[in-house]
Amino acid sequence: MTDMDQPLDLDHQYAIDRDCTTLSRHVLQQLQSFSAEAQDLSALMNRIALAAKLIARRLTRAGLVEDALGFTGRTNVQGESVKKMDVFANQVFISVFEQSGLVCRLASEEMDQPYYIPENCPIGRYTLLYDPIDGSSNVDINLNVGAIFAIRRQEGEDLDHTAQDLLQDGHRQIAAGYVLYGPSTMLVYSIGKGVHAFTLDPSLGEFILSTENIRIPEHGPVYSVNEGNFWQWEESIRNYIRYVHRHDGYTARYGGALVGDIHRILFQGGVFLYPGTVKKPEGKLRLLYESAPLAFLVEQAGGRASTGMQEIMDVIPDKLHARTPLIIGSKEDVALVESFIQEHDRAQREQEILTPKG
Ligand code: P6P
C-alpha cells in the first residue's frame, strides 16, 4: 500500500474537515439548499466576514497607523462623540456591500438615515442593519470591541426612501450576529438554525468553525450591568441588584462593550442589563441594530431577551434609532430580573388601590 492509500488518523481528518468548514460553506450546510435565497444568505455572511477581516486588520495595528485612534470631533445621530474607528468601520461595510448586488440599503448606528445603494450599482433585496464598532470607547485603550448585525428582507418598494418597512418587530430578521474583536476575532451568527461561532485564522485569512450549536446555560453566575447608574434606576432594578449582592453564587462582570459582555454570558450563562432610568425610561441601547439582533441570537441559543415588560423580539420601533431597555441572557436569570419588576408593579398597584383618592 502506498502512503496515499493509508487513511489519515481521525484527529488529522477532523482537523482538515474543520479547517475546510468556512462560513459560506456552513451557511449552505445549515440550509441544506442551494436555492437563490440560500446562496444570497451565504454571500451576505461572506461579505460580513470580509468587512470583519478588514476592520480586524486595522484594529490590530491601530496604535501604529496614522489617524486610527481618537475622535473625529463630530457627534453622531445618537449625540455621541464619533471616533475615527467608527467612521472607518462604517465605511468598510458600505464599501464591502455597495457592489455586492445583495443589499438595497444599509442602516447603521453611525448614519441618521439608511444609505441607499446608488443606482449605478447592482441593487439587492436585503437590508443590512449594523453597529459597525460597538464599544468604540475601548478602542483607544486596546480593549475588546465588537460589531453587531442583522439582515432583513426589503418589503415593498420604499420609493420615498423612508424605510418604513424596517419599523417592524425582530421576527422579520432572517439572520443576525456579532463580530468580537478580542484576543482572537470571532464571528458568531444565526440564520435561525442554531448559533455558531467562527474564529478568524489570520494565517488563512478565513473564519473557521470553532463552536457549533452554542447553547446558553439555563442559569449562570454573571450579572453584567453598569452599577454606576444605580441611583438612576427604577426601585425594582435596585431591588434586583440588592438581591444579587446579598446572595451567593453571583459575580459582576462589565466590560463597557456590549458584544464582549454578551459573548461571556452566551458561553458562561447569566444576564446582561441595560435598564431604563427614571430620566430615560427607554434606556441607551438601540433596538434595530443592537438589542433585536442579540435577542434573535440569544433566543436561538436557548436564552431570552426582554425589555422587562415585553420580549425584545416583539417590540415594534417607532423610528430607526429607537432605544429599548435590555435584559438578556439565561432564561432563569432574565426571569429573575422580571420578577422584581412585576413584584414592584404589583405593590405599586396595591398601594394605589389602598390610597384614598382626593
Ligand atoms: P455605559 C457602548 O457605548 C455601548 O453602546 C455598549 O457597547 C455598552 O454595553 C454600553 O454602551 C455601555 O454604556 O453607559 O455603561 O458606558
Side-chain angles (χ1 to χ4, degrees):
M1 283 177 104
T2 66
D3 277 356
M4 291 303 285
D5 299 328
Q6 294 287 343
L8 279 173
D9 65 60
L10 287 180
D11 287 348
H12 280 100
Q13 182 64 42
Y14 170 76
I16 292 174
D17 282 348
R18 194 212 39 202
D19 283 352
C20 294
T21 308
T22 59
L23 185 58
S24 44
R25 173 175 147 185
H26 191 261
V27 172
L28 293 173
Q29 278 175 342
Q30 290 282 309
L31 294 169
Q32 292 177 350
S33 153
F34 285 88
S35 68
E37 168 145 322
Q39 299 280 5
D40 282 350
L41 262 181
S42 179
L44 284 158
M45 291 307 304
N46 233 4
R47 293 273 108 187
I48 290 169
L50 175 59
K53 288 186 262 189
L54 290 166
I55 294 164
R57 183 175 66 177
R58 190 166 181 92
L59 283 168
T60 49
R61 295 176 46 76
L64 305 171
V65 174
E66 283 300 307
D67 264 351
L69 299 178
F71 291 90
T72 61
R74 297 198 305 273
T75 55
N76 64 14
V77 64
Q78 322 291 342
E80 295 166 344
S81 301
V82 176
K83 306 207 69 157
K84 292 173 184 172
M85 195 59 79
D86 290 322
V87 174
F88 171 83
N90 192 62
Q91 184 56 49
V92 164
F93 276 92
I94 292 172
S95 303
V96 158
F97 276 93
E98 195 161 46
Q99 297 290 347
S100 69
L102 291 165
V103 297
C104 53
R105 296 164 300 188
L106 293 134
S108 157
E109 174 181 308
E110 296 304 326
M111 301 187 291
D112 189 4
Q113 296 303 322
Y115 176 84
Y116 283 80
I117 299 298
E119 295 195 350
N120 62 340
C121 296
I123 310 282
R125 296 289 301 166
Y126 301 91
T127 298
L128 176 75
L129 299 103
Y130 65 107
D131 181 358
I133 291 278
D134 178 78
S136 55
S137 55
N138 277 359
V139 169
D140 291 4
I141 51 173
N142 194 34
L143 293 180
N144 69 274
V145 292
I148 307 169
F149 61 85
I151 297 167
R152 296 183 181 221
R153 291 185 194 85
Q154 176 173 354
E155 296 178 26
E157 293 308 311
D158 189 20
L159 297 174
D160 57 2
H161 282 195
T162 57
Q164 288 302 304
D165 63 298
L166 292 180
L167 304 184
Q168 298 190 72
D169 66 42
H171 300 284
R172 299 289 178 171
Q173 298 173 114
I174 60 171
Y178 59 79
V179 181
L180 174 61
Y181 302 103
S184 65
T185 296
M186 291 185 75
L187 191 154
V188 180
Y189 89 105
S190 176
I191 53 174
K193 294 182 179 297
V195 177
H196 316 286
F198 285 71
T199 300
L200 180 62
D201 181 337
S203 66
L204 285 175
E206 282 285 1
F207 279 99
I208 302 298
L209 181 63
S210 42
T211 312
E212 202 167 24
N213 296 314
I214 299 166
R215 300 298 293 171
I216 188 170
E218 293 285 310
H219 163 65
V222 174
Y223 70 99
S224 183
V225 66
N226 181 346
E227 296 201 40
N229 297 329
F230 185 87
W231 293 108
Q232 296 181 49
W233 291 330
E234 297 283 351
E235 193 61 23
S236 54
I237 299 295
R238 290 187 215 159
N239 290 337
Y240 165 73
I241 296 296
R242 292 181 183 114
Y243 175 89
V244 293
H245 284 172
R246 293 166 182 161
H247 287 74
D248 279 346
Y250 291 97
T251 188
R253 291 285 183 277
Y254 192 72
L258 181 56
V259 168
D261 288 329
I262 296 294
H263 190 72
R264 178 188 294 112
I265 283 167
L266 188 65
F267 281 84
Q268 296 176 357
V271 62
F272 173 93
L273 306 87
Y274 206 103
T277 62
V278 173
K279 278 183 273 177
K280 291 177 70 177
E282 74 282 0
K284 173 180 183 181
L285 300 177
R286 277 64 49 150
L287 177 65
L288 283 174
Y289 39 79
E290 289 177 321
S291 302
L294 294 174
F296 180 96
L297 200 77
V298 164
E299 284 196 2
Q300 280 289 315
R304 280 194 56 217
S306 159
T307 64
M309 308 299 283
Q310 182 182 16
E311 298 302 309
I312 290 286
M313 286 286 279
D314 296 336
V315 177
I316 297 173
D318 57 357
K319 52 183 182 288
L320 187 64
H321 300 291
R323 299 168 191 257
T324 60
L326 178 63
I327 301 163
I328 184 170
S330 298
K331 268 187 182 143
E332 290 177 17
D333 300 298
V334 171
L336 179 63
V337 179
E338 288 177 326
S339 69
F340 282 89
I341 294 170
Q342 287 147 14
E343 170 52 28
H344 182 262
D345 288 356
R346 189 196 58 73
Q348 257 188 335
R349 281 194 302 275
E350 209 167 77
Q351 187 58 38
E352 283 162 12
I353 293 166
L354 297 173
T355 306
K357 296 274 184 283

